[in-house]
Amino acid sequence: DTGVSQNPRHKITKRGQNVTFRCDPISEHNRLYWYRQTLGQGPEFLTYFQNEAQLEKSRLLSDRFSAERPKGSFSTLEIQRTEQGDSAMYLCASSETGGSEKLFFGSGTQLSVL
Amino acid sequence: AQRVTQPEKLLSVFKGAPVELKCNYSYSGSPELFWYVQYSRQRLQLLLRHISRESIKGFTADLNKGETSFHLKKPFAQEEDSAMYYCALPRDNYGQNFVFGPGTRLSVLP
């Protein structure tokens, strides 16, 4: 499968623990996006990268959230001191550069904070 | 601020009936709009984009700037069209990331 890959598929954690998710985009895609989706809502933008540069962060992304894309390839999203409100599906997407490009989504990581 | 509304959470139609999924937007500038679809147990994927003016799986969508709408239509719904549908537009004039609507679940009944 040469699509966007996300790991793990599911993560259950206790409140206060740290979690890290990984996203491997389509190899030739320069842009990588993180979205969060809760039940009954569409995906909400969190942050995006062009190559290794993080170009924008949503105000939804509190100080407990950090994302990296160190070599412009895979990306990680870390949540520190998780809260129950962080429970959601975390989606990664990638696209080529150049205007409004089609997003290719991963299957997501479902986070449950107990 | 850019915003997308989809007034119907759930739309049920019978097989063979016409279907229209509504999308309204607010955007400063000339928008490019998209419809994404998520079938059961599959990942979110692009269905169509208005700039392509194409018909995908029998679906079409017309941008109406006067009504700020981008409704998705299909003349004869099929059971395999049952899915979640999300309307989306770029967050800014550079088109570098997107705002999604809350989605409409289409259920096509036999």
Side-chain angles (χ1 to χ4, degrees), chain A residues 4 28 30 54-55 73-75 81 84 92 98 100 106 108 114:
Chain A
V4 178
E28 60 268 26
N30 295 325
Q54 188 173 16
L55 296 187
S73 56
F74 73 92
S75 174
R81 305 181 302 282
Q84 287 186 320
C92 177
S100 298
L114 306 178

Side-chain angles (χ1 to χ4, degrees), chain A residues 31 98-102, chain B residues 32 34 49 51 90 92-96 98:
Chain A
R31 292 190 190 154
S100 298
E101 293 296 338
K102 169 182 174 180
Chain B
E32 180 176 354
F34 302 76
R49 53 197 296 183
I51 197 171
D92 54 44
N93 291 331
Y94 304 105
Q96 291 183 351
F98 299 85

Side-chain angles (χ1 to χ4, degrees), chain B residues 56-107:
Chain B
I56 303 293
K57 298 185 179 183
F59 284 96
T60 59
D62 291 319
L63 179 62
N64 185 323
K65 292 186 180 179
E67 295 183 358
T68 59
S69 68
F70 188 56
H71 303 329
L72 184 68
K73 300 177 185 178
K74 184 169 182 177
F76 307 104
Q78 303 299 314
E79 288 181 71
E80 56 265 30
D81 296 327
S82 296
M84 281 295 299
Y85 291 81
Y86 298 95
C87 185
L89 82 165
R91 285 166 53 86
D92 54 44
N93 291 331
Y94 304 105
Q96 291 183 351
N97 64 66
F98 299 85
V99 175
F100 286 82
T104 297
R105 178 170 296 282
L106 175 64
S107 178

Side-chain angles (χ1 to χ4, degrees), chain A residues 31 37 47 57 86 109:
Chain A
R31 292 190 190 154
Q37 187 173 23
T47 187
K57 293 192 290 186
D86 297 331
T109 294

Side-chain angles (χ1 to χ4, degrees), chain A residues 9 107, chain B residues 38-45 82-83 105:
Chain A
R9 293 292 303 273
S107 298
Chain B
Q38 187 166 27
Y39 301 103
S40 179
R41 287 187 286 277
Q42 294 188 27
R43 58 188 67 189
L44 196 56
Q45 59 186 286
S82 296
R105 178 170 296 282

